Amino acid sequence: SRKFLQGVNEELDLWVTHYAWLHSKYPKDKVTRLQKIMNQNPESPLLEMPDVPNLTYIIEYLLELGTSLASGFGVTPITWTELRSWLELSELQLDSWESNLLISLSRSFCANYTKFDEKDFPTPYVIEEFDRKAASASIGGSLRLLAKRMNKK
């Protein structure tokens, strides 16, 4: 149970970290990274979000609740009072671990947003894309070379 929750938290934290990166701005830009990337290349792999199988409902709740509150000092995490009000109005019943997770994810979003905003940080999540044919040819060539060397001995 504890290992499961730790894995859940890590997967969702990566999602929220990437979400914060996308919604922050590059230095001296007036638009978010998300807007800039969408304008330049709507098919960019930078727009891909980490997969969170069986946990999409937590992400949906977080986005409906809001990842943060606006304040005069930037973004601040969702408070327990805000969460309780949202739960009452939405008539949802969450387990305590789900409520704790939503608060934790909001805190993570705010910390990461503050870390990334107006700073030049690489994306926290990258999908590795590669050319399978080229990789296969390279591996095949390496294996043939290795076989030749083995045969010479």
Side-chain angles (χ1 to χ4, degrees):
S1 170
R2 188 178 188 123
K3 283 185 179 181
F4 168 77
L5 288 178
Q6 183 179 353
V8 163
N9 201 20
E10 288 173 5
E11 288 178 14
L12 288 170
D13 193 57
L14 176 59
W15 193 96
V16 151
T17 300
H18 189 61
Y19 189 80
W21 183 82
L22 283 170
H23 286 83
S24 63
K25 296 175 187 163
Y26 287 110
K28 300 180 183 168
D29 273 357
K30 301 228 184 289
V31 297
T32 65
R33 286 176 168 93
L34 175 65
Q35 292 167 316
K36 187 171 186 171
I37 294 165
M38 294 262 312
N39 289 338
Q40 292 175 345
N41 179 9
E43 302 297 317
S44 172
L46 294 174
L47 298 173
E48 291 290 324
M49 295 301 290
D51 193 26
V52 285
N54 303 318
L55 299 169
T56 54
Y57 78 99
I58 294 287
I59 296 297
E60 289 170 5
Y61 288 168
L62 179 67
L63 295 177
E64 187 177 318
L65 171 63
T67 53
S68 61
L69 300 172
S71 75
F73 301 103
V75 295
T76 57
I78 297 299
T79 65
W80 285 104
T81 303
E82 293 289 329
L83 177 59
R84 189 175 328 115
S85 296
W86 176 75
L87 287 170
E88 287 175 13
L89 290 171
S90 62
E91 298 180 346
L92 286 172
Q93 295 288 322
L94 296 182
D95 288 335
S96 62
W97 71 269
E98 293 167 315
S99 294
N100 283 316
L101 187 57
L102 286 171
I103 294 292
S104 174
L105 292 172
S106 175
R107 289 175 180 161
S108 178
F109 173 85
C110 291
N112 283 297
Y113 179 87
T114 301
K115 178 174 99 175
F116 297 139
D117 197 41
E118 302 284 337
K119 296 172 190 87
D120 196 14
F121 270 93
T123 177
Y125 177 71
V126 178
I127 295 179
E128 302 264 341
E129 292 187 13
F130 64 95
D131 183 342
R132 291 186 187 276
K133 286 183 180 179
S136 179
S138 176
I139 291 169
S142 295
L143 289 174
R144 282 188 291 282
L145 183 61
L146 181 61
K148 284 181 184 178
R149 286 183 183 166
M150 296 295 286
N151 287 336
K152 287 182 180 180
K153 289 184 178 183

mmCIF file of all heavy atoms in Angstrom, residues 17-49:
data_model
loop_
_atom_site.group_PDB
_atom_site.id
_atom_site.type_symbol
_atom_site.label_atom_id
_atom_site.label_comp_id
_atom_site.label_asym_id
_atom_site.label_seq_id
_atom_site.Cartn_x
_atom_site.Cartn_y
_atom_site.Cartn_z
ATOM 1 N N THR A 17 4.675 18.601 -12.537
ATOM 2 C CA THR A 17 5.909 19.341 -12.807
ATOM 3 C C THR A 17 5.951 19.769 -14.273
ATOM 4 O O THR A 17 6.268 20.922 -14.590
ATOM 5 C CB THR A 17 7.140 18.487 -12.446
ATOM 6 O OG1 THR A 17 7.076 18.163 -11.056
ATOM 7 C CG2 THR A 17 8.437 19.214 -12.727
ATOM 8 N N HIS A 18 5.621 18.850 -15.165
ATOM 9 C CA HIS A 18 5.608 19.194 -16.590
ATOM 10 C C HIS A 18 4.510 20.215 -16.890
ATOM 11 O O HIS A 18 4.707 21.148 -17.676
ATOM 12 C CB HIS A 18 5.433 17.932 -17.437
ATOM 13 C CG HIS A 18 5.623 18.172 -18.901
ATOM 14 N ND1 HIS A 18 6.807 18.629 -19.437
ATOM 15 C CD2 HIS A 18 4.776 18.047 -19.947
ATOM 16 C CE1 HIS A 18 6.682 18.763 -20.759
ATOM 17 N NE2 HIS A 18 5.448 18.432 -21.079
ATOM 18 N N TYR A 19 3.366 20.067 -16.257
ATOM 19 C CA TYR A 19 2.257 21.011 -16.424
ATOM 20 C C TYR A 19 2.686 22.412 -15.984
ATOM 21 O O TYR A 19 2.398 23.403 -16.657
ATOM 22 C CB TYR A 19 1.054 20.519 -15.620
ATOM 23 C CG TYR A 19 -0.225 21.268 -15.871
ATOM 24 C CD1 TYR A 19 -1.004 21.006 -16.987
ATOM 25 C CD2 TYR A 19 -0.677 22.236 -14.974
ATOM 26 C CE1 TYR A 19 -2.189 21.687 -17.220
ATOM 27 C CE2 TYR A 19 -1.859 22.917 -15.192
ATOM 28 C CZ TYR A 19 -2.609 22.636 -16.312
ATOM 29 O OH TYR A 19 -3.791 23.317 -16.531
ATOM 30 N N ALA A 20 3.394 22.493 -14.868
ATOM 31 C CA ALA A 20 3.897 23.783 -14.373
ATOM 32 C C ALA A 20 4.896 24.373 -15.365
ATOM 33 O O ALA A 20 4.872 25.583 -15.638
ATOM 34 C CB ALA A 20 4.546 23.611 -12.998
ATOM 35 N N TRP A 21 5.773 23.533 -15.911
ATOM 36 C CA TRP A 21 6.751 24.001 -16.898
ATOM 37 C C TRP A 21 6.033 24.584 -18.120
ATOM 38 O O TRP A 21 6.386 25.658 -18.598
ATOM 39 C CB TRP A 21 7.674 22.853 -17.307
ATOM 40 C CG TRP A 21 8.752 23.240 -18.261
ATOM 41 C CD1 TRP A 21 9.953 23.818 -17.969
ATOM 42 C CD2 TRP A 21 8.721 23.086 -19.690
ATOM 43 N NE1 TRP A 21 10.669 24.033 -19.122
ATOM 44 C CE2 TRP A 21 9.944 23.592 -20.185
ATOM 45 C CE3 TRP A 21 7.787 22.565 -20.586
ATOM 46 C CZ2 TRP A 21 10.246 23.592 -21.546
ATOM 47 C CZ3 TRP A 21 8.098 22.575 -21.941
ATOM 48 C CH2 TRP A 21 9.309 23.080 -22.411
ATOM 49 N N LEU A 22 5.012 23.874 -18.608
ATOM 50 C CA LEU A 22 4.273 24.342 -19.772
ATOM 51 C C LEU A 22 3.545 25.659 -19.515
ATOM 52 O O LEU A 22 3.390 26.478 -20.413
ATOM 53 C CB LEU A 22 3.255 23.286 -20.229
ATOM 54 C CG LEU A 22 3.817 22.098 -20.990
ATOM 55 C CD1 LEU A 22 2.750 21.029 -21.162
ATOM 56 C CD2 LEU A 22 4.380 22.522 -22.339
ATOM 57 N N HIS A 23 3.085 25.870 -18.294
ATOM 58 C CA HIS A 23 2.301 27.061 -17.985
ATOM 59 C C HIS A 23 3.143 28.226 -17.464
ATOM 60 O O HIS A 23 2.617 29.296 -17.180
ATOM 61 C CB HIS A 23 1.166 26.704 -17.025
ATOM 62 C CG HIS A 23 0.088 25.952 -17.737
ATOM 63 N ND1 HIS A 23 0.155 24.595 -17.946
ATOM 64 C CD2 HIS A 23 -1.038 26.374 -18.342
ATOM 65 C CE1 HIS A 23 -0.901 24.213 -18.637
ATOM 66 N NE2 HIS A 23 -1.645 25.271 -18.886
ATOM 67 N N SER A 24 4.446 28.028 -17.374
ATOM 68 C CA SER A 24 5.343 29.123 -17.013
ATOM 69 C C SER A 24 5.866 29.756 -18.308
ATOM 70 O O SER A 24 5.583 29.278 -19.396
ATOM 71 C CB SER A 24 6.487 28.602 -16.141
ATOM 72 O OG SER A 24 7.270 27.663 -16.854
ATOM 73 N N LYS A 25 6.614 30.826 -18.156
ATOM 74 C CA LYS A 25 7.119 31.552 -19.326
ATOM 75 C C LYS A 25 8.628 31.425 -19.449
ATOM 76 O O LYS A 25 9.328 31.345 -18.447
ATOM 77 C CB LYS A 25 6.771 33.036 -19.218
ATOM 78 C CG LYS A 25 5.300 33.309 -19.238
ATOM 79 C CD LYS A 25 5.033 34.779 -19.009
ATOM 80 C CE LYS A 25 3.543 35.003 -18.873
ATOM 81 N NZ LYS A 25 3.253 36.293 -18.263
ATOM 82 N N TYR A 26 9.086 31.431 -20.704
ATOM 83 C CA TYR A 26 10.515 31.558 -20.960
ATOM 84 C C TYR A 26 10.940 32.966 -20.535
ATOM 85 O O TYR A 26 10.108 33.881 -20.514
ATOM 86 C CB TYR A 26 10.834 31.383 -22.447
ATOM 87 C CG TYR A 26 10.724 29.966 -22.972
ATOM 88 C CD1 TYR A 26 9.708 29.611 -23.844
ATOM 89 C CD2 TYR A 26 11.651 29.002 -22.610
ATOM 90 C CE1 TYR A 26 9.617 28.325 -24.348
ATOM 91 C CE2 TYR A 26 11.569 27.710 -23.109
ATOM 92 C CZ TYR A 26 10.548 27.380 -23.975
ATOM 93 O OH TYR A 26 10.467 26.109 -24.454
ATOM 94 N N PRO A 27 12.218 33.172 -20.237
ATOM 95 C CA PRO A 27 12.667 34.524 -19.898
ATOM 96 C C PRO A 27 12.300 35.523 -20.996
ATOM 97 O O PRO A 27 12.456 35.239 -22.179
ATOM 98 C CB PRO A 27 14.190 34.378 -19.781
ATOM 99 C CG PRO A 27 14.412 32.943 -19.469
ATOM 100 C CD PRO A 27 13.308 32.202 -20.185
ATOM 101 N N LYS A 28 11.764 36.660 -20.587
ATOM 102 C CA LYS A 28 11.434 37.783 -21.468
ATOM 103 C C LYS A 28 10.282 37.498 -22.428
ATOM 104 O O LYS A 28 10.011 38.305 -23.325
ATOM 105 C CB LYS A 28 12.664 38.263 -22.224
ATOM 106 C CG LYS A 28 13.772 38.737 -21.309
ATOM 107 C CD LYS A 28 14.971 39.207 -22.070
ATOM 108 C CE LYS A 28 16.043 39.598 -21.048
ATOM 109 N NZ LYS A 28 17.325 39.804 -21.607
ATOM 110 N N ASP A 29 9.596 36.372 -22.304
ATOM 111 C CA ASP A 29 8.428 36.095 -23.149
ATOM 112 C C ASP A 29 7.168 36.623 -22.476
ATOM 113 O O ASP A 29 7.077 36.680 -21.251
ATOM 114 C CB ASP A 29 8.274 34.588 -23.394
ATOM 115 C CG ASP A 29 9.074 34.108 -24.584
ATOM 116 O OD1 ASP A 29 9.698 34.939 -25.264
ATOM 117 O OD2 ASP A 29 9.069 32.899 -24.835
ATOM 118 N N LYS A 30 6.208 36.976 -23.297
ATOM 119 C CA LYS A 30 4.934 37.459 -22.778
ATOM 120 C C LYS A 30 3.887 36.345 -22.713
ATOM 121 O O LYS A 30 2.846 36.499 -22.094
ATOM 122 C CB LYS A 30 4.417 38.603 -23.639
ATOM 123 C CG LYS A 30 5.365 39.779 -23.721
ATOM 124 C CD LYS A 30 4.647 41.067 -23.481
ATOM 125 C CE LYS A 30 5.511 42.275 -23.649
ATOM 126 N NZ LYS A 30 6.495 42.455 -22.630
ATOM 127 N N VAL A 31 4.174 35.223 -23.365
ATOM 128 C CA VAL A 31 3.230 34.105 -23.386
ATOM 129 C C VAL A 31 3.857 32.891 -22.696
ATOM 130 O O VAL A 31 5.078 32.807 -22.546
ATOM 131 C CB VAL A 31 2.816 33.734 -24.831
ATOM 132 C CG1 VAL A 31 2.086 34.889 -25.498
ATOM 133 C CG2 VAL A 31 3.996 33.292 -25.659
ATOM 134 N N THR A 32 3.017 31.963 -22.314
ATOM 135 C CA THR A 32 3.510 30.755 -21.651
ATOM 136 C C THR A 32 4.261 29.866 -22.639
ATOM 137 O O THR A 32 4.118 30.011 -23.856
ATOM 138 C CB THR A 32 2.351 29.938 -21.050
ATOM 139 O OG1 THR A 32 1.517 29.463 -22.118
ATOM 140 C CG2 THR A 32 1.542 30.747 -20.054
ATOM 141 N N ARG A 33 5.025 28.948 -22.108
ATOM 142 C CA ARG A 33 5.711 27.968 -22.955
ATOM 143 C C ARG A 33 4.683 27.208 -23.789
ATOM 144 O O ARG A 33 4.897 26.942 -24.974
ATOM 145 C CB ARG A 33 6.520 27.000 -22.092
ATOM 146 C CG ARG A 33 7.779 27.580 -21.516
ATOM 147 C CD ARG A 33 8.466 26.569 -20.581
ATOM 148 N NE ARG A 33 9.807 26.975 -20.241
ATOM 149 C CZ ARG A 33 10.123 27.687 -19.165
ATOM 150 N NH1 ARG A 33 9.189 28.066 -18.316
ATOM 151 N NH2 ARG A 33 11.375 28.019 -18.937
ATOM 152 N N LEU A 34 3.565 26.854 -23.166
ATOM 153 C CA LEU A 34 2.505 26.127 -23.865
ATOM 154 C C LEU A 34 2.039 26.912 -25.084
ATOM 155 O O LEU A 34 1.973 26.356 -26.187
ATOM 156 C CB LEU A 34 1.334 25.868 -22.912
ATOM 157 C CG LEU A 34 0.098 25.215 -23.512
ATOM 158 C CD1 LEU A 34 0.426 23.801 -23.995
ATOM 159 C CD2 LEU A 34 -1.033 25.177 -22.503
ATOM 160 N N GLN A 35 1.742 28.191 -24.909
ATOM 161 C CA GLN A 35 1.282 29.015 -26.031
ATOM 162 C C GLN A 35 2.360 29.134 -27.111
ATOM 163 O O GLN A 35 2.062 29.024 -28.301
ATOM 164 C CB GLN A 35 0.893 30.409 -25.533
ATOM 165 C CG GLN A 35 -0.342 30.403 -24.661
ATOM 166 C CD GLN A 35 -0.531 31.710 -23.923
ATOM 167 O OE1 GLN A 35 0.418 32.267 -23.375
ATOM 168 N NE2 GLN A 35 -1.757 32.205 -23.918
ATOM 169 N N LYS A 36 3.588 29.346 -26.697
ATOM 170 C CA LYS A 36 4.674 29.510 -27.663
ATOM 171 C C LYS A 36 4.890 28.221 -28.465
ATOM 172 O O LYS A 36 5.022 28.254 -29.692
ATOM 173 C CB LYS A 36 5.958 29.906 -26.943
ATOM 174 C CG LYS A 36 7.084 30.253 -27.883
ATOM 175 C CD LYS A 36 8.258 30.853 -27.153
ATOM 176 C CE LYS A 36 9.308 31.332 -28.136
ATOM 177 N NZ LYS A 36 10.348 32.098 -27.492
ATOM 178 N N ILE A 37 4.922 27.083 -27.776
ATOM 179 C CA ILE A 37 5.133 25.802 -28.455
ATOM 180 C C ILE A 37 3.964 25.497 -29.382
ATOM 181 O O ILE A 37 4.156 25.055 -30.522
ATOM 182 C CB ILE A 37 5.350 24.662 -27.433
ATOM 183 C CG1 ILE A 37 6.660 24.892 -26.661
ATOM 184 C CG2 ILE A 37 5.362 23.306 -28.126
ATOM 185 C CD1 ILE A 37 6.798 24.042 -25.411
ATOM 186 N N MET A 38 2.737 25.741 -28.920
ATOM 187 C CA MET A 38 1.552 25.484 -29.753
ATOM 188 C C MET A 38 1.582 26.352 -31.018
ATOM 189 O O MET A 38 1.209 25.885 -32.087
ATOM 190 C CB MET A 38 0.266 25.768 -28.971
ATOM 191 C CG MET A 38 0.043 24.841 -27.818
ATOM 192 S SD MET A 38 -1.040 23.454 -28.063
ATOM 193 C CE MET A 38 -2.462 24.072 -28.825
ATOM 194 N N ASN A 39 2.041 27.591 -30.886
ATOM 195 C CA ASN A 39 2.120 28.479 -32.051
ATOM 196 C C ASN A 39 3.201 28.035 -33.025
ATOM 197 O O ASN A 39 3.037 28.163 -34.232
ATOM 198 C CB ASN A 39 2.383 29.924 -31.617
ATOM 199 C CG ASN A 39 1.175 30.548 -30.953
ATOM 200 O OD1 ASN A 39 0.044 30.107 -31.145
ATOM 201 N ND2 ASN A 39 1.406 31.568 -30.153
ATOM 202 N N GLN A 40 4.329 27.538 -32.493
ATOM 203 C CA GLN A 40 5.443 27.148 -33.345
ATOM 204 C C GLN A 40 5.281 25.748 -33.931
ATOM 205 O O GLN A 40 5.644 25.513 -35.075
ATOM 206 C CB GLN A 40 6.755 27.225 -32.566
ATOM 207 C CG GLN A 40 7.148 28.639 -32.219
ATOM 208 C CD GLN A 40 8.385 28.703 -31.335
ATOM 209 O OE1 GLN A 40 8.808 27.708 -30.757
ATOM 210 N NE2 GLN A 40 8.950 29.878 -31.213
ATOM 211 N N ASN A 41 4.787 24.813 -33.122
ATOM 212 C CA ASN A 41 4.677 23.431 -33.577
ATOM 213 C C ASN A 41 3.641 22.682 -32.738
ATOM 214 O O ASN A 41 3.979 22.095 -31.714
ATOM 215 C CB ASN A 41 6.034 22.723 -33.482
ATOM 216 C CG ASN A 41 5.965 21.276 -33.927
ATOM 217 O OD1 ASN A 41 4.958 20.828 -34.465
ATOM 218 N ND2 ASN A 41 7.035 20.541 -33.702
ATOM 219 N N PRO A 42 2.385 22.700 -33.167
ATOM 220 C CA PRO A 42 1.336 22.044 -32.384
ATOM 221 C C PRO A 42 1.532 20.527 -32.219
ATOM 222 O O PRO A 42 0.899 19.915 -31.371
ATOM 223 C CB PRO A 42 0.054 22.329 -33.158
ATOM 224 C CG PRO A 42 0.393 23.299 -34.218
ATOM 225 C CD PRO A 42 1.877 23.354 -34.345
ATOM 226 N N GLU A 43 2.425 19.950 -33.010
ATOM 227 C CA GLU A 43 2.702 18.512 -32.911
ATOM 228 C C GLU A 43 3.942 18.215 -32.076
ATOM 229 O O GLU A 43 4.405 17.072 -32.013
ATOM 230 C CB GLU A 43 2.894 17.930 -34.318
ATOM 231 C CG GLU A 43 1.711 18.133 -35.252
ATOM 232 C CD GLU A 43 0.462 17.421 -34.765
ATOM 233 O OE1 GLU A 43 0.562 16.263 -34.323
ATOM 234 O OE2 GLU A 43 -0.616 18.033 -34.817
ATOM 235 N N SER A 44 4.494 19.227 -31.425
ATOM 236 C CA SER A 44 5.736 19.066 -30.669
ATOM 237 C C SER A 44 5.602 18.012 -29.576
ATOM 238 O O SER A 44 4.611 17.980 -28.842
ATOM 239 C CB SER A 44 6.128 20.397 -30.025
ATOM 240 O OG SER A 44 7.222 20.209 -29.143
ATOM 241 N N PRO A 45 6.613 17.145 -29.437
ATOM 242 C CA PRO A 45 6.591 16.167 -28.344
ATOM 243 C C PRO A 45 6.667 16.831 -26.966
ATOM 244 O O PRO A 45 6.351 16.217 -25.964
ATOM 245 C CB PRO A 45 7.814 15.281 -28.604
ATOM 246 C CG PRO A 45 8.647 16.002 -29.598
ATOM 247 C CD PRO A 45 7.765 16.970 -30.309
ATOM 248 N N LEU A 46 7.056 18.106 -26.921
ATOM 249 C CA LEU A 46 7.090 18.828 -25.645
ATOM 250 C C LEU A 46 5.693 19.016 -25.066
ATOM 251 O O LEU A 46 5.537 19.267 -23.876
ATOM 252 C CB LEU A 46 7.747 20.199 -25.821
ATOM 253 C CG LEU A 46 9.222 20.199 -26.182
ATOM 254 C CD1 LEU A 46 9.702 21.614 -26.477
ATOM 255 C CD2 LEU A 46 10.046 19.569 -25.074
ATOM 256 N N LEU A 47 4.680 18.873 -25.903
ATOM 257 C CA LEU A 47 3.302 19.023 -25.443
ATOM 258 C C LEU A 47 2.737 17.734 -24.854
ATOM 259 O O LEU A 47 1.671 17.750 -24.249
ATOM 260 C CB LEU A 47 2.412 19.504 -26.591
ATOM 261 C CG LEU A 47 2.776 20.872 -27.165
ATOM 262 C CD1 LEU A 47 1.941 21.172 -28.401
ATOM 263 C CD2 LEU A 47 2.611 21.955 -26.113
ATOM 264 N N GLU A 48 3.450 16.639 -25.048
ATOM 265 C CA GLU A 48 2.999 15.355 -24.502
ATOM 266 C C GLU A 48 3.082 15.375 -22.981
ATOM 267 O O GLU A 48 4.066 15.837 -22.413
ATOM 268 C CB GLU A 48 3.865 14.212 -25.033
ATOM 269 C CG GLU A 48 3.693 13.933 -26.498
ATOM 270 C CD GLU A 48 2.353 13.317 -26.833
ATOM 271 O OE1 GLU A 48 1.840 12.517 -26.029
ATOM 272 O OE2 GLU A 48 1.830 13.649 -27.907
ATOM 273 N N MET A 49 2.052 14.868 -22.353
ATOM 274 C CA MET A 49 2.030 14.792 -20.896
ATOM 275 C C MET A 49 2.369 13.362 -20.470
ATOM 276 O O MET A 49 2.039 12.405 -21.166
ATOM 277 C CB MET A 49 0.654 15.181 -20.367
ATOM 278 C CG MET A 49 0.283 16.631 -20.637
ATOM 279 S SD MET A 49 1.433 17.824 -19.925
ATOM 280 C CE MET A 49 1.097 17.632 -18.184
#
